[in-house]
């Protein structure tokens, strides 16, 4: 029976590349993909998924998943992607152990420790941005337990891949939207989640970079940190609007959008508002015209793709050919809901 390794050797590429071509997973150079497919067809390749399932079932692999709060609707969508992939991986004898924790360093450390004690063979993690979390990832790597970070990354760690948005680019896109939606000198307020989550700070960095480089007429007035909490967002957005009566625009870099929008509605003002994601309450505010635009980042895809990468590594020992697996940004306005 023809194997992926034989096809890879003949094509002069890695087994990971062959797997992606044959299973339509991830981007591969079109010429390379055509070459791999021709070789596979010529050798009458048939994937031996039954054999793989029997082999992995004997080993009973476990993958741990740690995502943020039960009260965060975005991560509900990421978890939905995890659950859809879990059904497929169960056929291969994989067990997926999930944890949902608050934006808290010690809660995340405890969750990692509990999964290590459970004997996991891989970890999918939305990391709290702290050196102790990086050390945990490196400790797992030292024990040959691969880690894939999802939705937010952590710099300098030994994780094998990251799946999620290019958050810097997301901030750049938001800056461009503010430019298109406004005129004249603009005062912009920012409501962010936590400085200890890298994706939030990267979005702001991308926004600031683009505004300074291309649209200096838009000036950042103030930043409020609301820890992805709706009530805190409501209170601090209201305070931000009261303190800065000339604010013309608001940028929500994380969750807490609904609470902040409620404060805006009560203020009677109509700033241009740009947010992220397509959770139901955000779409409601977009439909009402409170939010001007929201930028989506495919949470379901993030969940399923992260498990895919861990599955491929655990079963084949093949590292992903690229570390960064960015999902596509898409812009939603009221008219294309």
């Amino acid at each position: 029976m023809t194997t992926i390794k034989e096809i890879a050797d003949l094509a002069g590429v890695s087994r990971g590349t062959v797997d992606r071509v044959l299973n339509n997973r991830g981007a591969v150079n079109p010429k390379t993909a055509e070459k791999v497919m021709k070789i596979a067809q010529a050798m009458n390749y048939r994937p031996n998924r039954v054999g793989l399932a029997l082999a992995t079932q004997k080993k009973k692999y476990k993958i741990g998943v740690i995502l943020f709060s039960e009260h965060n609707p975005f991560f509900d969508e990421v978890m939905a992607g995890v659950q859809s992939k879990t059904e497929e991986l169960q056929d291969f004898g994989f067990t997926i152990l999930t944890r949902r924790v608050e934006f808290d360093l010690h809660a995340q450390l405890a969750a990692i420790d509990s999964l290590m004690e459970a004997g996991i063979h891989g970890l999918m993690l939305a990391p709290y941005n702290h050196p102790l979390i990086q050390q945990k990832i490196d400790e797992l790597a030292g024990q040959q337990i691969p880690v894939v970070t999802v939705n937010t990354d952590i710099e300098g760690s030994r994780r094998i891949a990251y799946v999620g948005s290019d958050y810097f680019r997301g901030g750049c896109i938001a800056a461009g939207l503010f430019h298109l939606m406004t005129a004249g000198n603009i005062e912009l307020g920012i409501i962010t989640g936590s400085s200890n989550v890298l994706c939030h700070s990267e979005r702001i960095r991308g926004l600031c970079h683009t505004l300074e480089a291309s649209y200096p007429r838009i000036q950042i007035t103030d930043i409020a940190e609301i820890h992805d909490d709706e009530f805190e967002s409501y209170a601090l957005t209201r305070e931000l609007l009261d303190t800065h009566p000339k604010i013309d625009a608001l940028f929500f870099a994380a969750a807490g959008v609904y609470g902040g929008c409620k404060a805006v509605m009560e203020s009677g003002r109509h700033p241009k508002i740009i947010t992220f994601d397509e959770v139901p309450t955000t779409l409601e505010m977009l439909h009402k015209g409170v939010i001007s635009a929201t930028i989506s980042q495919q949470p379901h895809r993030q969940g399923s793709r992260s498990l895919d990468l861990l599955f491929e590594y655990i079963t084949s020992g093949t590292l992903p050919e690229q570390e960064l697996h960015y999902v596509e940004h898409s812009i939603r306005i009221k008219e294309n809901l």
Side-chain angles (χ1 to χ4, degrees):
M1 181 177 292
T2 302
T3 66
I4 285 180
K5 184 178 184 304
E6 290 171 335
I7 296 172
D9 290 342
L10 288 170
V13 298
S14 72
R15 286 179 293 173
T17 297
V18 174
D19 179 78
R20 280 193 290 280
V21 173
L22 297 178
N23 294 287
N24 195 28
R25 285 194 279 247
V28 177
N29 181 281
K31 290 184 177 179
T32 301
E34 182 180 2
K35 183 178 181 181
V36 168
M37 288 302 297
K38 285 182 177 178
I39 292 172
Q41 290 166 4
M43 299 181 71
N44 196 30
Y45 172 76
R46 295 290 183 273
N48 185 14
R49 296 184 71 81
V50 174
L52 179 58
L54 290 172
T56 54
Q57 282 172 356
K58 292 177 182 178
K59 298 183 180 180
K60 301 297 182 185
Y61 290 114
K62 298 177 184 177
I63 294 178
V65 174
I66 301 176
L67 301 178
F68 288 124
S69 171
E70 296 269 6
H71 309 294
N72 189 317
F74 173 81
F75 282 102
D76 290 343
E77 289 295 316
V78 179
M79 185 60 76
V82 169
Q83 291 167 345
S84 67
K85 182 58 62 172
T86 295
E87 295 175 7
E88 176 185 331
L89 297 189
Q90 284 173 344
D91 294 337
F92 296 89
F94 275 70
T95 300
I96 311 301
L97 307 175
T98 62
R99 303 283 189 274
R100 298 287 291 271
V101 299
E102 300 298 323
F103 285 95
D104 178 85
L105 171 63
H106 299 292
Q108 187 159 102
L109 288 170
I112 295 172
D113 287 339
S114 73
L115 289 173
M116 291 175 69
E117 290 172 4
I120 58 171
H121 301 86
L123 176 64
M124 170 182 161
L125 174 68
Y128 187 90
N129 192 29
H130 192 279
L132 289 178
I133 300 298
Q134 178 187 332
Q135 290 175 24
K136 279 291 181 185
I137 293 173
D138 294 349
E139 180 183 338
L140 287 164
Q143 297 177 21
Q144 304 303 308
I145 299 173
V147 177
V148 170
T149 53
V150 60
N151 187 251
T152 182
D153 205 3
I154 188 163
E155 294 178 332
S157 74
R158 293 173 62 189
R159 54 101 176 103
I160 64 168
Y162 161 72
V163 178
S165 284
D166 180 341
Y167 288 99
F168 181 85
R169 181 166 175 77
C172 296
I173 292 170
L177 289 173
F178 278 123
H179 170 68
L180 292 173
M181 293 176 175
T182 63
N185 294 327
I186 297 297
E187 291 191 17
L188 172 64
I190 297 176
I191 296 92
T192 187
S194 171
S195 57
N196 287 307
V197 177
L198 184 62
C199 65
H200 301 169
S201 55
E202 279 295 285
R203 280 173 175 163
I204 294 172
R205 190 170 71 87
L207 177 86
C208 293
H209 169 81
T210 305
L211 293 181
E212 291 171 5
S214 302
Y215 313 120
R217 66 181 180 80
I218 304 173
Q219 293 288 317
I220 296 170
T221 299
D222 203 351
I223 300 176
E225 188 170 322
I226 53 90
H227 306 96
D228 280 2
D229 180 84
E230 295 289 0
F231 180 75
E232 193 173 0
S233 180
Y234 169 82
L236 291 182
T237 301
R238 187 165 184 167
E239 180 181 329
L240 189 71
L241 293 172
D242 289 342
T243 305
H244 304 284
K246 293 185 178 180
I247 279 181
D248 308 285
L250 290 172
F251 175 60
F252 285 83
V257 172
Y258 186 74
C261 285
K262 291 288 285 184
V264 171
M265 292 170 69
E266 290 179 8
S267 74
R269 292 160 63 179
H270 302 282
K272 297 296 182 183
I273 297 176
I274 292 174
T275 66
F276 287 87
D277 306 323
E278 295 183 58
V279 301
T281 51
T282 295
L283 295 181
E284 175 189 338
M285 290 296 175
L286 185 62
H287 182 72
K288 288 181 177 179
V290 180
I291 293 173
S292 307
T294 193
I295 302 170
S296 181
Q297 53 175 333
Q298 301 185 49
H300 193 282
R301 171 70 173 161
Q302 292 186 34
S304 62
R305 182 59 180 145
S306 297
L307 282 188
D308 252 343
L309 292 175
L310 286 168
F311 171 75
E312 291 169 12
Y313 180 81
I314 291 168
T315 55
S316 71
T318 304
L319 281 168
E321 285 198 343
Q322 60 193 58
E323 289 187 22
L324 303 176
H325 296 255
Y326 290 137
V327 295
E328 182 184 1
H329 286 110
S330 58
I331 299 167
R332 293 283 182 267
I333 58 175
K334 180 179 179 179
E335 286 73 20
N336 74 343
L337 284 178

